[in-house]
Amino acid sequence: RISVIDSSEATTAASVYEEALRLGVDLVVGPLSKTLVNEIAALPELPTLTLALNYADREAAQAMQPPADLIQFGLAPEDEIDQIIELAKERGFKRAAVVTPVGENYTRLRARFQTRWEETGGSVVTRSVFGPEEDFSSVVKNLLAIDASEDRARRLRAALPRNNIEFTPRRRGDIDFIFLIANPRQGRQLVPTLAFYYAQDLPLLALPSIYDGDPTASTRDLDGLIFGDAPWMIISSELRELADENLTAALGSSQRLRAMGVDSFYLAMQLAQLQDNPQRSLRGVTGELSLTGEGKIKRKLVMLRFENGVPEPLPGS
């Protein structure tokens, strides 16, 4: 039996649990609000097993021991970044270039990538950010030091008596791969611009935001780019077809949240097994799911590469 409690306007977790206990539930799925999850994580114990659909803030989690009956599940970018780093290390990469949008959230994700990458012995040798109406040429030229190469050519022409000097800009040569955070529209502009400025040979690794699952969109410009994503986004299934037919049309992050709803059901049915056997995993639609010792659900995504405009699974992913 499922009882639905609207917690969208709840100011305290206590009111949610009071209603849940009144209904006689033995498992709470939710809340989604990070504020409420932070409050729950700070409690010494919970009245019933809880599958929270978000994660407590990292700072708060480090300062306390969450209650044993709290399991935290969400679409954490940290899982996505860690898997990109794992792939980069497997391929022997050492030096990364980073391209992200401007904004506080992206600054946090960039810092997370750099911290984790440096912990594995890698380094970030250059980075660039772009705004909503950015000229991607300037972003890429700054990232690859093309502008510095052009400045040297201008100085050379000014110093020499002849102006018929042939010049081809050179990008910096100390980059092993580019880590990219962008949406599909931004990616379709950035990737060709990178190729135009002599970076067509550099591997591109991106977060799931690069793909929204729109079958009508032209994604050939992204060919060669590697990213991780939820199986729900790229593997057809009867459940996905039923959801698309009967629910409001959804792309990108909205479709991934739909997959999170599916996996919250699967997890609710198998939490006891995951708690009893830490080595066990659940093949969900947001990824392969496992339970950490800190009571968090960790996701392993499918790694993909765009080929002829279509995301294809990497061998072994």
Side-chain angles (χ1 to χ4, degrees):
R1 182 169 58 87
I2 297 175
S3 300
V4 178
I5 302 172
D6 184 359
S7 64
S8 59
E9 297 185 6
T11 56
T12 66
S15 61
V16 176
Y17 279 112
E18 286 175 4
E19 178 66 10
L21 293 175
R22 185 185 67 79
L23 293 168
V25 307
D26 49 25
L27 170 68
V28 169
V29 179
L32 187 64
S33 161
K34 183 175 283 287
T35 300
L36 293 180
V37 175
N38 282 336
E39 181 186 345
I40 291 170
L43 296 173
E45 60 181 4
L46 300 180
T48 187
L49 182 61
T50 299
L51 176 64
L53 301 181
N54 210 325
Y55 297 96
D57 287 326
R58 180 175 297 273
E59 297 78 9
Q62 290 174 342
M64 63 198 173
Q65 178 66 41
D69 279 339
L70 174 62
I71 308 298
Q72 301 172 57
F73 171 53
L75 305 181
E78 289 80 4
D79 289 344
E80 301 161 359
I81 289 173
D82 287 351
Q83 202 163 337
I84 287 292
I85 288 174
E86 182 180 335
L87 178 65
K89 296 305 294 184
E90 287 176 356
R91 299 198 168 194
F93 300 152
K94 295 289 187 182
R95 298 162 299 187
V98 179
V99 187
T100 65
V102 297
E104 183 178 346
N105 287 337
Y106 299 112
T107 299
R108 177 179 58 82
L109 293 178
R110 185 175 66 241
R112 164 74 180 193
F113 171 83
Q114 182 162 348
T115 298
R116 293 286 293 113
W117 182 239
E118 290 175 349
E119 287 174 353
T120 67
S123 64
V124 173
V125 297
T126 180
R127 64 188 187 189
S128 193
V129 298
F130 58 87
E133 304 298 331
E134 192 72 57
D135 173 10
F136 287 109
S137 293
S138 61
V139 172
V140 170
K141 288 168 72 173
N142 175 65
L143 182 80
L144 302 176
I146 297 293
D147 46 5
S149 180
E150 292 174 339
D151 285 342
R152 286 193 297 271
R154 281 192 289 269
R155 291 195 300 269
L156 186 62
R157 286 196 175 101
L160 295 178
R162 295 186 301 172
N163 288 323
N164 60 343
I165 299 173
E166 292 187 5
F167 167 71
T168 300
R170 295 179 60 187
R171 67 166 176 85
R172 59 188 302 161
D174 59 347
I175 301 172
D176 293 331
F177 75 103
I178 296 174
F179 172 63
L180 173 64
I181 302 177
N183 63 35
R185 178 187 61 80
Q186 295 161 343
R188 288 193 294 270
Q189 297 178 69
L190 271 167
V191 174
T193 305
L194 285 163
F196 181 79
Y197 286 109
Y198 318 104
Q200 67 271 17
D201 59 325
L202 286 178
L204 302 177
L205 308 183
L207 293 189
S209 59
I210 198 71
Y211 182 61
D212 62 8
D214 184 356
T216 66
S218 174
T219 53
R220 285 184 177 271
D221 285 336
L222 300 179
D223 277 0
L225 181 144
I226 294 172
F227 70 108
D229 210 339
W232 180 266
M233 296 296 293
I234 50 95
I235 301 174
S236 61
S237 69
E238 183 179 358
L239 182 58
R240 167 73 189 265
E241 292 173 2
L242 285 171
D244 289 343
E245 289 173 4
N246 293 281
L247 301 176
T248 304
L251 292 172
S253 58
S254 296
Q255 192 65 258
R256 294 184 182 95
L257 284 173
R258 188 167 290 173
M260 180 180 161
V262 173
D263 274 356
S264 67
F265 170 78
Y266 292 152
L267 285 167
M269 299 300 102
Q270 298 195 39
L271 276 181
Q273 293 93 321
L274 292 174
Q275 288 176 312
D276 291 341
N277 185 359
Q279 305 304 316
R280 185 187 179 96
S281 64
L282 169 64
R283 195 173 294 275
V285 297
T286 62
E288 186 174 341
L289 309 177
S290 57
L291 180 61
T292 70
E294 294 77 36
K296 294 183 177 181
I297 299 297
K298 184 176 182 179
R299 294 183 302 136
K300 182 179 180 181
L301 307 178
V302 177
M303 299 307 295
L304 307 147
R305 177 187 171 102
F306 279 102
E307 302 284 356
N308 298 317
V310 178
E312 299 285 355
L314 286 178
S317 67

